[in-house]
Amino acid sequence: MNFITAIQTVFEPFTLTVIVASAIFGLFVGSMPGLTATMAAALLVPLTFYMDPVPAIGAIVTCSAMAIFAGDIPGALLRIPGTPASAAYVSEAYQLGRKGQLSRVLSVNLIASAIGGIFGTLVLIMLAPQLAQVALRFSSYEYFWLALIGLSAATLISSSNPIKGLTALFLGLFLAVVGLDVVTGLPRYTFGTVDLMGGVSLIAALIGLFAVAELFRKAATIHEDLPPPAQVTGAILPQGLSAIAQYRWNALRGSTIGTFLGILPGAGADIAGWISYAVSKRFSKTPEKFGTGHIEGVVDASASNNASLGGAYVPALVFGIPGDSITAIVIGVLLIKGMNPGPTVFTQSGDIVSAIFVVFILANLLLIPLGLLAIKAARHVLRINQRMLLPIILMFSIVGAYAVNNSVFDLWIVLGLGLLGWIMEENGFPIAPMVLGLVLGKIVEESFTNSMIKAGGNVIAFIDRPIAATLAFVFFAIWIVPFVLRLAGRRVPRAS
Amino acid sequence: MKLTKLALLTAAILAGVSGPALAQYPERPITMIVAWAAGGGTDAVARALAAQLEAELGTPVNVVNRTGGAGVIGHTEIVNARPDGYTIGLASAELSTYYWSGTAQFTANDVTPIALVNLDASAFNVAANSEWQDLRSALDAIAEAPAGTYKLSGMAPGAAYHLAFSSLLNAEGIDPNTITVVPSQGAAPGFQELAAGGVEIVPSSLPEATAMIDAGQVKTLAVLASERLEAFPDVPTVEEAIGRPFAGGTWRGIVAPAGIPDEARDRLIAAVETVWNSEDFQSFMSERGFGLTYLSGDDFGAYLAEQHEQNGEVMGLLGLRQRD
Amino acid sequence: MLKVSDLGSGLAIAGLGLAIIVQAQGFPSVGASPVSPAFYPGLIGTVLLGCGLALALGSLLKKEAMPLGVLPEWLRRPGNILAVLAVPAAIIAYGLLSPVLGFLATAFLVTLGLLVAFRVNWLWSLGTAFVLSGLLHLVFVVLMRVPLPYGFIEALLP
């Protein structure tokens, strides 16, 4: 691969213009709850018909990297995640903002996102063919254990009352059951409505549980007219840099986990943030600070969701198997441009692939200046009077929830889950495990049922393969080790 | 609050006055519903069509992905949309299965057919290291083995490729129920299962399998088409492999709700025909490996009626039929 | 919203779990799958039932002070009640009105109503409602190409 010609291809005025324009578009889309990176990428497709392959793919790559970072901005400002990928650490980021550390948390989001993105790209450049082989070893058995490990993360992220955390997780799992059963095509818990056959839309649920529940809370205390918390002033970037320097291993660990989850088709950015955040807490020296406005987990998770983007291109380029919905679109664009994904893509279209790698790096570097501008602009939002701001947020939430599916029915989901989220938080039930249950629910059931069908009901098959057995071991270790430690009688401080 | 009511009232009256006067169709943006997610094959065809229909009709054509429920949501939305010609949809082969599976009340005949734009033949894919060298040996092995020995993946049970595959087995006198379906969301996860050794067969279109064939993970035994595909001259047809003519797969076509104005229908049929024949669309479809077949208006309607009957039969064999 | 004691919420969750299990009994088994479609929801229902009972039992053992719940603070302030009610009212109004009036008219009216309910003065409310509905139209319809409900105001636009 010739990176000199690749760089020349990318640094043409037209390509650069396209990349910068799609970067700004991505930042905007990501920071709006209800607008997703997938929607943005799909919108770019007809435009890419008229472009060369490099600007065409570059537009989608840049747009998605920006959108995943930008999802953090409304999270920290308003406790409303802009994309599902930011949902895991939205409370933590918001708490930091309340403490006056808005600049710090947002610049950590920004720098960690860039680090994660570049890490994922480097892995993609150096190890794509080998890692794609590993991804192909994952069948439903492996996904089943992986999904259970993901669910275990819920017990780590919900701190206070474990029973209430478990309840929230299973409420989320239940919401994921609603709709047509994949195996039999049978409607479950749809009460005869066609709209519910498609299940509960994740975006509508996020807007309900986070945005609308938060608006209810704010409306109930509207008389207080609280001024926005005083913010630490000064340059933005250095605040984040010092935090990243302190937690540099966390950034690396988040990037590694994110890249790996990105490589596995079907996992992706939405799940990466949760797992990284939970891992961060599990191995932290100060796990008790998590959930009170502690930057450590944010470093892991911000790096992780951006790292997963690069990972998703591994199976896409090598086997034409999309790692997520965005790479599915990218594969389509590649085909139109006469490039067939497959192991030969690196030799036959080597120059273009190298150029795409250069775009990846460039997009993550561009993230810093453009993200900084976005942060500066976004901070002004908090200066708006609450009585004006809340109605404006509600209108964006309503239209955003409607826009995802063009469905009035989704508004009723938003309202119902908004009320539920409000009641739950007021009574000490955490929201985060519920969202995790909703994200993972389908994978849990499908991988379990498919495995049982394949094995003809024989459960031994679940641990009959080396990777599956390893994952099963990890899963049981997560649950048994703390138990054994407690049984050992000594109150072992969680030092690991 | 009084003012709000007044404004509401005025608005309501205004809305009534400026009712739909179909001056010259189309006078406002058109919505094209797709029942499958952004990034999939149907979505790609829809966006290519929409981009050019927009120029042809002189009004924005917006693609809306109404996903979920194995496509039933989006297709229901198309059938139930206001029949004014401003909501159309790119339907896929599953349209003619929901009635039989009992998930919807409408049949494939309850739409205004505009045009069939694509037919994709299904292919019989197996793992590259499979002992089956040709279709004959595969079918013989399936016929002899006890039920449940062989599994297939790449779709939900009852999806178009599953039905085509089952019809082939049935034509050969093999009970299609002997093959266990491991459900998956599309061909890609199916191929992953195939490579991981979880299933033996993945029926998919040939373009969907290309990357895995190039990677040496998958081989194709036959394509369920009447002639070899231009882009895949080495893959034999079913007839060449076992001497029985057999074609099957999936289709995509533009439909509108039943009862749209004739003016809108004629305008849409003409516009889709122009777009389909354009060089841009033809090259888009062949580069992405989609089969190019065209049926206009009533011909498409006749095709839908035929599909409706056929699917009722096959789904009955598979025990997926929930009504008579 | 209202604060409920763990006894109340526990019983509600247990009830939901039970309802999930009962409903799952009606799912027919189709085909040869070794897993019935009722198995997984049944499992979820059982866990919820268990969690709910554990919460209720814990509350009884601890002898929680609240019998079932207490009236929340915001119900004592008319201004707050209005603001809280305005949130669901706006969502419902948008859902019902937008298919009839079209997006621009609905967004204008709903925003106006919300701002007035949040005690913003009329002039500001009118101005914000006007600008915001236009902005939303620009963002979603023009930029993101989402076909929002079409109404009489949209018909007047070029």
Side-chain angles (χ1 to χ4, degrees):
Chain A
M1 279 176 250
N2 188 344
F3 275 93
I4 307 286
T5 39
I7 289 170
Q8 281 168 348
T9 331
V10 174
F11 281 82
E12 272 177 26
F14 176 73
T15 313
L16 280 181
T17 316
V18 168
I19 287 175
V20 172
S22 34
I24 295 167
F25 183 55
L27 282 172
F28 170 77
V29 167
S31 53
M32 291 292 192
L35 298 182
T36 64
T38 310
M39 273 168 91
L43 269 177
L44 290 173
V45 168
L47 296 178
T48 59
F49 291 167
Y50 308 105
M51 295 179 194
D52 288 330
V54 175
I57 305 287
I60 296 176
V61 165
T62 315
C63 186
S64 52
M66 297 288 166
I68 297 294
F69 155 69
D72 297 344
I73 299 177
L77 286 174
L78 306 162
R79 207 168 182 249
I80 299 170
T83 66
S86 302
Y89 48 97
V90 63
S91 294
E92 194 85 73
Y94 181 70
Q95 296 283 351
L96 280 160
R98 302 300 296 176
K99 284 184 175 175
Q101 302 182 9
L102 202 55
S103 302
R104 180 154 170 255
V105 65
L106 282 173
S107 71
V108 163
N109 287 146
L110 181 63
I111 301 166
S113 294
I115 292 175
I118 290 176
F119 183 92
T121 311
L122 292 179
V123 171
L124 170 68
I125 295 174
M126 293 187 288
L127 294 172
Q130 293 85 339
L131 285 172
Q133 292 286 353
V134 177
L136 272 196
R137 301 266 173 283
F138 273 66
S139 72
S140 58
Y141 304 113
E142 285 79 13
Y143 277 104
F144 173 72
W145 293 113
L146 201 62
L148 286 195
I149 292 171
L151 289 185
S152 314
T155 60
L156 286 168
I157 47 187
S158 58
S159 41
S160 53
N161 182 336
I163 297 183
K164 289 185 172 178
L166 199 64
T167 308
L169 177 69
F170 274 78
L171 280 177
L173 290 175
F174 171 65
L175 285 184
V177 170
V178 175
L180 289 188
D181 172 29
V182 245
V183 183
T184 56
L186 186 91
R188 294 188 295 184
Y189 305 101
T190 58
F191 307 104
T193 41
V194 175
D195 291 289
L196 269 180
M197 282 187 189
V200 176
S201 146
L202 177 62
I203 303 287
L206 274 183
I207 291 179
L209 287 172
F210 284 107
V212 174
E214 182 69 16
L215 288 168
F216 272 124
R217 264 192 297 277
K218 291 261 165 67
T221 54
I222 191 77
H223 65 280
E224 289 171 1
D225 271 322
L226 287 178
Q231 293 295 333
V232 177
T233 49
I236 296 175
L237 270 187
Q239 299 184 34
L241 279 174
S242 65
I244 298 267
Q246 188 188 347
Y247 293 112
R248 53 191 175 280
W249 297 115
N250 296 58
L252 195 64
R253 182 173 62 199
S255 303
T256 315
I257 295 176
T259 310
F260 175 69
L261 289 175
I263 292 170
L264 296 178
D270 291 3
I271 297 170
W274 294 101
I275 304 229
S276 296
Y277 184 75
V279 166
S280 180
K281 184 174 177 186
R282 176 70 187 82
F283 293 102
S284 169
K285 291 198 182 83
T286 52
E288 70 283 352
K289 284 191 187 165
F290 278 67
T292 62
H294 184 51
I295 200 81
E296 192 176 352
V298 180
V299 176
D300 276 89
S302 298
S304 184
N305 54 17
N306 275 70
S308 75
L309 289 180
Y313 283 76
V314 169
L317 286 176
V318 181
F319 293 117
I321 292 179
D324 57 13
S325 50
I326 297 170
T327 41
I329 296 172
V330 169
I331 290 177
V333 175
L334 285 175
L335 288 170
I336 297 171
K337 300 299 173 194
M339 296 165 58
N340 290 328
T344 51
V345 80
F346 297 95
T347 46
Q348 280 173 4
S349 313
D351 284 349
I352 296 175
V353 173
S354 310
I356 293 172
F357 292 158
V358 174
V359 172
F360 255 108
I361 302 277
L362 179 65
N364 282 298
L365 293 177
L366 261 182
L367 188 58
I368 303 274
L370 291 176
L372 213 50
L373 287 178
I375 292 174
K376 282 189 174 159
R379 284 194 306 182
H380 292 293
V381 168
L382 287 187
R383 303 229 179 99
I384 305 173
N385 184 307
Q386 283 229 340
R387 292 179 185 271
M388 292 276 285
L389 183 61
L390 300 184
I392 295 174
I393 296 173
L394 181 57
M395 287 312 290
F396 268 99
S397 302
I398 292 176
V399 183
Y402 174 86
V404 176
N405 276 324
N406 263 57
S407 149
V408 171
F409 185 81
D410 280 359
L411 293 178
W412 311 144
I413 296 207
V414 165
L415 179 55
L417 290 184
L419 276 169
L420 182 66
W422 185 29
I423 299 173
M424 281 174 60
E425 285 257 304
E426 294 281 297
N427 290 290
F429 290 88
I431 296 298
M434 185 164 169
V435 177
L436 183 65
L438 191 56
V439 169
L440 279 175
K442 283 241 154 39
I443 305 181
V444 173
E445 185 180 11
E446 279 173 29
S447 61
F448 175 73
T449 315
N450 286 356
S451 302
M452 288 295 276
I453 292 176
K454 283 192 300 185
N458 177 8
V459 263
I460 299 294
F462 280 85
I463 47 168
D464 215 15
R465 301 156 53 94
I467 302 179
T470 315
L471 290 170
F473 177 78
V474 171
F475 170 72
F476 286 112
I478 290 172
W479 285 95
I480 291 169
V481 168
F483 210 68
V484 172
L485 286 181
R486 212 170 300 160
L487 276 187
R490 232 171 290 156
R491 294 194 44 97
V492 182
R494 275 220 237 156
S496 17
Chain B
M1 276 293 129
K2 243 185 205 162
L3 251 171
T4 329
K5 267 188 194 156
L6 193 71
L8 253 163
L9 200 69
T10 334
I13 293 167
L14 271 170
V17 171
S18 62
L22 210 72
Q24 66 274 53
Y25 174 89
E27 48 167 12
R28 61 183 177 88
I30 293 172
T31 299
M32 185 190 286
I33 296 175
V34 175
W36 307 99
T42 310
D43 177 70
V45 176
R47 285 178 197 272
L49 272 174
Q52 287 194 62
L53 272 178
E54 198 164 304
E56 189 60 30
L57 294 168
T59 183
V61 179
N62 302 308
V63 174
V64 169
N65 301 94
R66 275 298 268 132
T67 58
V72 70
I73 311 277
H75 286 104
T76 307
E77 197 97 334
I78 300 170
V79 172
N80 293 341
R82 195 181 306 167
D84 53 9
Y86 290 102
T87 307
I88 58 177
L90 185 66
S92 59
E94 284 73 18
L95 173 70
S96 51
T97 63
Y98 300 127
Y99 175 77
W100 299 116
S101 64
T103 39
Q105 297 308 314
F106 58 83
T107 73
N109 304 323
D110 294 332
V111 294
T112 304
I114 303 295
L116 179 91
V117 296
N118 149 257
L119 261 184
D120 275 340
S122 175
F124 195 114
N125 305 307
V126 297
N129 56 8
S130 165
E131 60 205 24
W132 299 335
Q133 291 309 320
D134 52 39
L135 186 58
R136 185 74 270 159
S137 60
L139 290 174
D140 289 346
I142 293 169
E144 281 163 25
T149 310
Y150 296 111
K151 302 171 197 78
L152 71 77
S153 189
M155 77 290 287
Y161 286 140
H162 180 214
L163 297 183
F165 179 84
S166 302
S167 305
L168 174 63
L169 291 192
N170 187 48
E172 280 288 298
I174 305 168
D175 177 6
N177 290 304
T178 55
I179 302 275
T180 309
V181 183
V182 177
S184 82
Q185 319 260 20
F191 280 122
Q192 216 186 330
E193 278 293 343
L194 189 73
V199 300
E200 288 77 27
I201 308 158
V202 172
S204 78
S205 75
L206 270 169
E208 283 171 319
T210 315
M212 292 295 276
I213 296 171
D214 291 348
Q217 298 278 349
V218 167
K219 66 183 176 194
T220 306
L221 300 184
V223 59
L224 280 60
S226 42
E227 288 168 35
R228 288 191 184 209
L229 305 192
E230 211 174 302
F232 302 89
D234 301 334
V235 180
T237 65
V238 174
E239 185 169 11
E240 288 165 348
I242 60 169
R244 174 191 297 279
F246 193 91
T250 190
W251 55 263
R252 300 180 175 91
I254 297 280
V255 300
I260 67 165
D262 284 346
E263 189 205 349
R265 175 179 172 269
D266 297 344
R267 185 86 176 82
L268 282 170
I269 290 179
V272 174
E273 181 152 6
T274 315
V275 169
W276 190 87
N277 283 312
S278 73
E279 201 171 305
D280 278 356
F281 186 73
Q282 293 276 327
S283 64
F284 164 81
M285 292 293 277
S286 42
E287 267 154 26
R288 287 250 359 212
F290 290 118
L292 277 155
T293 307
Y294 185 80
L295 288 175
S296 182
D298 293 336
D299 294 338
F300 182 30
Y303 178 80
L304 284 177
E306 183 192 306
Q307 286 292 310
H308 174 69
E309 292 306 320
Q310 271 184 18
N311 286 334
E313 221 170 285
V314 187
M315 290 175 75
L317 283 174
L318 288 168
L320 292 168
R321 184 165 161 175
Q322 303 293 331
R323 59 172 105 215
D324 300 316
Chain C
M1 201 55 182
L2 65 168
K3 275 230 164 58
V4 192
S5 72
D6 282 358
L7 179 61
S9 58
L11 288 178
I13 292 159
L16 175 70
L18 201 62
I20 293 172
I21 299 170
V22 169
Q23 176 92 11
Q25 301 314 309
F27 298 155
S29 246
V30 184
S33 165
V35 190
S36 135
F39 171 77
Y40 180 68
L43 187 74
I44 293 174
T46 313
V47 174
L48 285 176
L49 180 65
C51 285
L53 290 179
L55 279 174
L57 210 67
S59 161
L60 283 180
L61 289 177
K62 268 189 292 176
K63 301 209 174 67
E64 266 190 306
M66 298 183 283
L68 270 177
V70 285
L71 267 192
E73 167 78 13
W74 59 272
L75 270 176
R76 293 192 208 117
R77 293 170 191 273
N80 296 22
I81 296 178
L82 187 63
V84 167
L85 289 181
V87 175
I91 299 175
I92 294 170
Y94 180 89
L96 296 182
L97 290 181
S98 65
V100 185
L101 300 180
F103 172 74
L104 282 171
T106 312
F108 177 78
L109 293 175
V110 173
T111 317
L112 187 66
L114 265 175
L115 286 163
V116 171
F118 275 75
R119 301 269 169 85
V120 177
N121 71 44
W122 272 97
L123 209 60
W124 268 101
S125 299
L126 277 169
T128 312
F130 184 78
V131 174
L132 185 66
S133 46
L135 182 72
L136 285 166
H137 179 84
L138 214 62
V139 167
F140 284 90
V141 179
V142 180
L143 186 65
M144 295 300 292
R145 315 221 41 189
V146 174
L148 293 176
Y150 192 86
F152 64 97
I153 298 184
E154 281 85 351
L156 303 175
L157 296 176

